Amino acid sequence: MKILIVGAGALGGYFGGRLIAAGKDVTFLVRPRRREQLQRTGLIVQSRFGDLQLPPPPMVLSQEIDQTYDLILVACKAFDLESTMDAFAPAVGAQTLVLPFLNGMRHIRVLTDRFGGQAILGGQCVISASLDEDGWIIHHNDVHLITFGCLREGSTDRARALAASLSEANFDFVASDNILQEMWEKWIFIASAASLTTLMRATVGDIVQAGGTEFAGRLYAEAVSVGRAHGFEPRKAMNERFLGILTAAGSPFTASMLRDIERGHRTEAEQIAGELVRSTPELDGRLPLLELAVVGLRAYEAKRHRLQSL
């Protein structure tokens, strides 16, 4: 199986490095700066599951793609999806599977419109990793999980081949029969977590200390109502887990979106919180806390853009 990984950042580089270490045929689609960096240092991963120090991996720029691939892993930011699709489009053939790990759900529709429904798998990953100043990949937590599944009939055999390939790499994976449910559950949670911690500019523990437990529960309930309207209400065990995370006393947890704001970076506000609110017109006016969070995030982006224009 020939695999193209779009990007060699924290997420793509981590899972791609694990696949290379397992002997898989992996190529990274990169930008010139990242290629130069990897040519100097190789692909370096620091993780409690074992460090990697690999020689410079196979890499290609978008204009250099001269073949198609069996599998394309896409892990860009959701706001970069359109330009990213243009970059990897020459690598998509009649039998290519595209496995995206983007937040929200809009990307499934956009990818399907571009490449056809038979090509697109549903997927998500759970990992906390980042690039340091030298381009090393630092794995911060004790989870490295990929979940994927077929969205339509017709790609089952190829999905099984993917599962067989992933099983030999040093990370966890689940071939799901209910991937849309799991993607919706993740979306509901990350939209709630991002809305809560960016609105308050605080950790969950700080919000609870300030008397915000009920507030967190009400905000989460709004997000759940959106999933319910689309037929994807979180399952009982997931509800309990998510509420536990969002209301844990003393917890240092914050959404990654808050960390983006603290660093002055662009956020996925529209693709995560904004799209959740927009997805259900029948709930207009009935999601006041989510709507407030979205306005706050848009105000941050407006200010960031204004300051960059000075």
Side-chain angles (χ1 to χ4, degrees), residues 127-140:
I127 189 172
S128 176
S130 63
L131 290 182
D132 71 6
E133 294 179 355
D134 298 316
W136 293 20
I137 297 163
I138 312 300
H139 183 196
H140 299 291

Side-chain angles (χ1 to χ4, degrees), residues 27-62:
T27 300
F28 290 99
L29 174 60
V30 294
R31 294 187 175 96
R33 182 170 177 240
R34 183 58 170 155
R35 178 159 73 173
E36 292 171 4
Q37 189 176 51
L38 288 170
Q39 286 173 336
R40 289 195 310 270
T41 66
L43 181 58
I44 299 173
V45 175
Q46 291 187 339
S47 169
R48 67 178 296 272
F49 294 104
D51 297 340
L52 296 176
Q53 189 163 0
L54 303 173
M59 292 175 280
V60 65
L61 303 179
S62 60

Side-chain angles (χ1 to χ4, degrees), residues 6-233:
V6 181
L11 194 159
Y14 181 87
F15 288 109
R18 294 292 185 203
L19 287 166
I20 289 174
K24 302 305 177 183
D25 183 358
V26 172
T27 300
F28 290 99
L29 174 60
V30 294
R31 294 187 175 96
R33 182 170 177 240
R34 183 58 170 155
R35 178 159 73 173
E36 292 171 4
Q37 189 176 51
L38 288 170
Q39 286 173 336
R40 289 195 310 270
T41 66
L43 181 58
I44 299 173
V45 175
Q46 291 187 339
S47 169
R48 67 178 296 272
F49 294 104
D51 297 340
L52 296 176
Q53 189 163 0
L54 303 173
M59 292 175 280
V60 65
L61 303 179
S62 60
Q63 64 269 27
E64 297 171 345
I65 296 174
D66 60 0
Q67 62 179 311
T68 59
Y69 292 80
D70 300 306
L71 173 68
I72 299 176
L73 298 181
V74 184
C76 64
K77 289 289 189 180
F79 49 69
D80 282 333
L81 178 58
E82 279 76 9
S83 61
T84 300
M85 288 192 303
D86 291 338
F88 73 75
V92 179
Q95 297 301 312
T96 301
L97 285 175
V98 179
L99 176 54
F101 296 127
L102 281 71
N103 291 319
M105 294 293 294
R106 172 182 174 271
H107 63 282
I108 296 296
R109 181 177 68 256
V110 174
L111 287 164
T112 297
D113 289 344
R114 179 72 179 267
F115 300 112
Q118 297 299 325
I120 312 304
L121 295 172
Q124 60 179 356
C125 64
V126 182
I127 189 172
S128 176
S130 63
L131 290 182
D132 71 6
E133 294 179 355
D134 298 316
W136 293 20
I137 297 163
I138 312 300
H139 183 196
H140 299 291
N141 63 354
D142 58 358
V143 182
H144 55 175
L145 171 67
I146 285 177
T147 305
F148 71 94
C150 296
L151 297 172
R152 292 172 177 81
E153 296 181 1
S155 54
T156 303
D157 290 342
R158 287 181 291 158
R160 288 190 186 125
L162 170 58
S165 183
L166 295 182
S167 68
E168 301 169 11
N170 181 21
F171 55 78
D172 299 323
F173 80 96
V174 175
S176 172
D177 294 326
N178 199 12
I179 190 63
L180 282 176
Q181 175 70 33
E182 296 179 24
M183 291 172 66
W184 265 94
E185 286 173 344
K186 181 181 179 182
W187 188 17
I188 288 166
F189 172 69
I190 63 174
S192 300
S195 296
L196 177 66
T197 60
T198 60
L199 190 60
M200 297 300 175
R201 296 294 199 271
T203 68
V204 164
D206 292 335
I207 295 166
V208 171
Q209 179 66 29
T213 301
E214 182 181 350
F215 179 89
R218 285 192 284 125
L219 189 151
Y220 175 70
E222 288 185 8
V224 167
S225 72
V226 177
R228 183 184 302 118
H230 288 269
F232 294 103
E233 182 171 1

Side-chain angles (χ1 to χ4, degrees), residues 266-282:
R266 185 178 178 183
T267 72
E268 293 181 304
E270 288 299 332
Q271 293 78 20
I272 296 177
E275 182 65 23
L276 190 73
V277 170
R278 289 192 300 273
S279 70
T280 317
E282 61 266 34

Side-chain angles (χ1 to χ4, degrees), residues 220-269:
Y220 175 70
E222 288 185 8
V224 167
S225 72
V226 177
R228 183 184 302 118
H230 288 269
F232 294 103
E233 182 171 1
R235 294 162 291 186
K236 180 179 179 182
M238 301 306 293
N239 258 328
E240 293 174 352
R241 178 186 171 204
F242 294 156
L243 271 174
I245 294 171
L246 295 174
T247 59
S251 171
F253 175 81
T254 68
S256 60
M257 196 180 297
L258 177 58
R259 296 192 290 275
D260 288 337
I261 289 174
E262 291 171 342
R263 296 166 184 157
H265 294 173
R266 185 178 178 183
T267 72
E268 293 181 304

